[in-house]
Amino acid sequence: MKEHGDIDIKWDGNILSISLRGPFNVEGIKHSIERVKTSVKENNLSSWYRIDYLDEETLGSPDTIKLIGEFYLWSDLNKCIESAIVCQNTLQRNLIDNFVERTGVKITVFNQDSKALNFIKKLSG
């Protein structure tokens, strides 16, 4: 099946910014996750921080959401100190809030890019 959904990856020191575009299917999210994992491994930082910027259409099926959840757990296990997510709608926020409640993963949710960036920059020193 054709991949749906796309990401842009950008590093600013030890802060990883991931901009997500469109709805994702399983193939699209698997490809995106592998791109980010490769980037994290190539940077080989002792610790890092993460900001995900979702667009209005960023959603996925339950199987896709499961893979995304596993990816946040991977980030925590691979030296990510804190993650922030910028949501564009209440559905995205509810999905993330439920995931955080179930897993205890360190994610803070924002509705503005600047607030997320200020939060992560303050933590990253």
Side-chain angles (χ1 to χ4, degrees), residues 18-65:
I18 306 168
S19 297
L20 295 92
R21 290 185 312 280
F24 283 81
N25 63 1
V26 169
E27 292 79 11
I29 203 64
K30 282 182 178 180
H31 176 74
S32 296
I33 288 170
E34 286 309 312
R35 284 182 56 205
V36 174
K37 285 182 176 181
T38 298
S39 182
V40 168
K41 289 174 185 175
E42 287 173 352
N43 277 279
N44 194 31
L45 298 167
S46 60
S47 65
W48 53 285
Y49 299 81
R50 173 180 175 169
I51 305 175
D52 292 2
Y53 299 97
L54 311 183
D55 76 4
E56 282 282 338
E57 297 179 353
T58 302
L59 286 173
S61 68
D63 289 337
T64 301
I65 305 262

Side-chain angles (χ1 to χ4, degrees), residues 11 16 18 32-45 48 50 66-81 83 99 103 105-107:
W11 285 94
L16 171 63
I18 306 168
S32 296
I33 288 170
E34 286 309 312
R35 284 182 56 205
V36 174
K37 285 182 176 181
T38 298
S39 182
V40 168
K41 289 174 185 175
E42 287 173 352
N43 277 279
N44 194 31
L45 298 167
W48 53 285
R50 173 180 175 169
K66 181 180 180 210
L67 291 171
I68 293 168
E70 291 170 359
F71 181 43
Y72 279 104
L73 294 171
W74 178 91
S75 294
D76 272 8
L77 295 171
N78 284 273
K79 306 175 191 170
C80 181
I81 304 300
S83 296
F99 172 72
T103 64
V105 171
K106 298 174 295 236
I107 298 174

Side-chain angles (χ1 to χ4, degrees), residues 65-122:
I65 305 262
K66 181 180 180 210
L67 291 171
I68 293 168
E70 291 170 359
F71 181 43
Y72 279 104
L73 294 171
W74 178 91
S75 294
D76 272 8
L77 295 171
N78 284 273
K79 306 175 191 170
C80 181
I81 304 300
E82 182 77 39
S83 296
I85 301 177
V86 181
C87 294
Q88 301 301 318
N89 57 58
T90 54
L91 179 56
Q92 292 169 341
R93 184 171 190 118
N94 288 338
L95 288 169
I96 295 163
D97 287 343
N98 289 337
F99 172 72
V100 170
E101 190 174 297
R102 278 193 335 271
T103 64
V105 171
K106 298 174 295 236
I107 298 174
T108 305
V109 182
F110 296 89
N111 60 1
Q112 293 179 349
D113 295 2
S114 59
K115 288 184 179 182
L117 185 58
N118 289 339
F119 172 77
I120 290 295
K121 281 190 171 187
K122 188 175 182 181

